[in-house]
């Protein structure tokens, strides 16, 4: 099972678990409809496009409404703490949620006590919680953007709002140093995919690959385009692709989709996701052996 | 080993002048569903009282709002770890021709230079950011809700910094 977990910006949405599908432009799980805009919805829609193209077993989602007060996030953590062992996903993705370090510690403890450890992917609030709780290394993949790699590089910060200004002021050329620092201080997952003007794929402090073509700078302004990378890499890993290769393919797919969609800063992320099928059809077999359809 | 409950450990601290204020605030914050713990403040943060509250720093904005609405006085709200940097208040802008992207910390807001319409909100990882995205996009800067008023988390605080700078730029660079 590919399990995608996160919060949805609708305070009335109950905790919902089930197979997810795209219906008339909205995501639907267990009869609950939610949007695929920025955040968990964008991540899920990108993962969905990937597993649909590769004809994999449908993904399951665990989503709950939360508009920032953390009530839904707490429900999400507690459900996972109580059920992750029984759910036993092969790939487990934790995304938007309030970064609550105490609950992340309990969740990681529950995962450690499970019979089978899933491939664990974290981005957004889940990545903040893992880093703040000194548990990043229990995750297999994290997908920070440039401000978030500065956060991972700062050993004292427990949220990107409190990164040291000298790290935030760094230009893009310093990102390799920040990646190195994140691994040295134990704040990195086993593999990092750093999203930016150049995408860096790194493990153990070493840069394994970079992706910078095509250059579509306006992608940065579009809310949800980092979330789509997380969804892509998760779906690709679920297909059996090695994390490094999945990260490279995810980074390329997002860029080529942006180029195909002729994005501007006013583009909505769904327009990018709608191009993923075309990108896979045209490029996936050149980029990877995992491309059957 | 069973699923033992892990004791709450926060990364933010609220300092009070009076012990009674700390006790009252603890009850109030807990009533609103936040995790909180009464602690003795570290020596460098002691203000003459002996009680402080440990909280999740990311929730500081929502908690601060509750305390202010209740008129519960507090002295300061800070990161707990000694040596933590101050809130990063550097704002950067990227000019895309018709649009400008303003970035504060991990948050970005992009608006149309002519119409002032917010066209995108990106970055962040807290649950109020997708909510703010939905509430702000396609609204003019002077009509959009203020992130600090609608949001709860540090991500919303950073988005508010970017929002205030966007408003300033759209008004011709004047406050």
């Amino acid at each position: 099972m590919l399990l995608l977990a996160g919060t949805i910006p609708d305070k009335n949405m109950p905790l919902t678990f089930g197979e997810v599908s795209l219906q008339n432009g909205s995501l639907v799980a267990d009869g609950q409809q939610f949007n695929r805009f920025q955040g968990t919805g964008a991540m899920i829609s990108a993962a969905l496009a990937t597993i649909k193209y590769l004809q994999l077993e449908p993904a399951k989602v665990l989503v709950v409404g939360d508009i920032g007060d953390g009530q839904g996030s707490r429900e999400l953590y507690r459900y996972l703490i109580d059920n992750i062992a029984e759910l036993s996903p092969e790939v487990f993705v934790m995304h938007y949620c309030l970064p609550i370090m105490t609950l992340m510690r309990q969740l990681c403890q529950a995962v450690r006590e499970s019979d089978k450890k899933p491939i664990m992917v974290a981005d957004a609030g889940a990545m903040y919680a893992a880093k703040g709780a000194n548990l990043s290394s229990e995750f297999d993949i994290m997908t920070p953007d440039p401000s978030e790699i500065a956060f991972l590089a700062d050993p004292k910060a427990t949220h990107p709002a409190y990164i040291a200004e000298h790290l935030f002021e760094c230009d893009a050329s310093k990102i390799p140093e920040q990646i190195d620092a994140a691994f040295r201080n134990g704040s990195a997952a086993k593999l990092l995919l750093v999203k930016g003007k150049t995408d860096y794929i790194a493990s153990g402090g070493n840069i394994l690959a970079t992706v910078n073509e095509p250059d579509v700078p306006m992608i940065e302004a579009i809310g949800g385009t980092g979330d789509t990378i997380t969804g892509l890499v998760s779906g690709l890993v679920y297909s059996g692709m090695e994390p490094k290769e999945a990260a490279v393919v995810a980074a390329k797919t997002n860029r080529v989709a942006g180029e195909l969609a002729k994005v501007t800063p006013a583009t909505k992320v769904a327009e990018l996701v709608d191009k993923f099928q075309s990108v896979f059809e045209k490029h996936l077999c050149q980029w990877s052996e995992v491309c059957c359809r | 080993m069973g699923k033992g409950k892990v004791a709450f450990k926060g990364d933010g601290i609220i300092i009070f002048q009076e012990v009674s204020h700390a006790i009252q605030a603890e009850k109030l914050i807990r009533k609103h569903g936040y995790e909180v713990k009464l602690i003795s403040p570290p020596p460098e943060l002691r203000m003459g009282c002996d009680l402080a509250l440990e909280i999740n720093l990311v929730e500081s904005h929502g908690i601060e709002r509750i305390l202010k609405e209740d008129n519960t006085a507090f002295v300061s709200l800070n990161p707990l770890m000694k040596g933590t940097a101050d809130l990063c208040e550097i704002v950067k802008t990227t000019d895309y021709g018709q649009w400008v992207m303003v970035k504060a910390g991990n948050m970005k807001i992009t608006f149309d230079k002519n119409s002032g319409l917010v066209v995108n909100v990106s970055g962040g990882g807290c649950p109020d950011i997708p909510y703010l995205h939905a509430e702000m996009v396609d609204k003019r800067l002077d009509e959009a809700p203020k992130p600090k008023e609608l949001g709860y988390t540090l991500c919303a605080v950073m988005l508010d910094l970017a929002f205030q700078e966007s408003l300033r730029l759209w008004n011709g660079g004047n406050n």
Side-chain angles (χ1 to χ4, degrees), chain A residues 7 9-10 35 37-40 66-71 73-74 78 81-83 85 95-103 105-106 109-110 113 124-126 128 145-148 154-166 168-170 217-224 264-268, chain B residues 1-11 32-35 56-60 77-79 81-92 94 96 99 101 103-108 110 118-134 137-138 150-155 158:
Chain A
T7 58
D10 173 358
N35 75 47
F37 307 146
Q38 192 217 11
T40 304
D66 192 334
I67 60 167
D69 62 8
Q71 304 299 318
S73 296
R74 287 182 167 84
R78 287 179 184 129
I81 291 162
D82 290 341
N83 295 286
H95 202 234
Y96 269 76
C97 62
L98 201 69
I100 304 174
M101 291 175 285
T102 308
L103 293 174
R105 285 190 188 97
Q106 288 181 258
Q109 183 179 322
E113 291 167 1
Y128 303 175
D145 68 13
S147 67
E148 290 166 340
D154 186 337
K156 304 264 185 188
T158 55
H159 188 279
Y162 280 94
I163 54 174
E165 291 191 348
H166 74 275
F168 181 69
E169 281 179 320
C170 284
M218 291 183 182
I219 282 183
E220 187 186 356
I222 303 168
T264 73
T267 298
K268 304 299 179 260
Chain B
M1 190 172 155
K3 287 180 192 167
K5 194 171 168 92
V6 177
F8 171 65
K9 185 161 171 48
D11 56 339
H32 280 80
Y34 293 106
E35 285 179 288
N56 283 316
L57 189 60
V58 70
E59 296 176 314
S60 57
L77 197 163
N78 298 300
M81 190 191 282
K82 198 176 170 185
T84 301
D86 292 334
L87 195 68
C88 181
E89 294 188 339
I90 301 170
V91 177
K92 296 177 179 177
T94 305
Y96 288 115
W99 302 274
M101 179 175 74
K103 180 177 181 180
N106 56 334
M107 293 310 312
K108 292 164 268 190
T110 305
V118 176
V119 295
N120 257 305
V121 169
S122 56
C126 301
D128 45 0
I129 296 307
Y131 178 59
L132 287 164
H133 179 277
V137 167
D138 295 333
L150 213 56
Y152 294 81
T153 69
L154 282 172
C155 292
M158 300 313 283

Side-chain angles (χ1 to χ4, degrees), chain A residues 77 150 179 207 225:
Chain A
Y77 280 110
I179 290 171
I207 309 284
T225 49

Side-chain angles (χ1 to χ4, degrees), chain A residues 1 6 23 32 63 89 110 120 126 133 148 180 228 237 271 275 281:
Chain A
M1 180 206 305
Q23 296 176 20
Q32 296 290 331
V63 289
M120 303 236 292
E148 290 166 340
D180 182 54
T228 53
V237 164
E271 297 172 50
K275 298 294 181 192
E281 282 166 12

Side-chain angles (χ1 to χ4, degrees), chain A residues 124-143:
Chain A
M127 177 170 67
Y128 303 175
K131 191 269 183 178
N134 294 319
L135 290 166
S136 296
S137 60
E138 303 217 9
F139 285 80
D140 296 278
I141 302 172
M142 284 180 175
T143 52

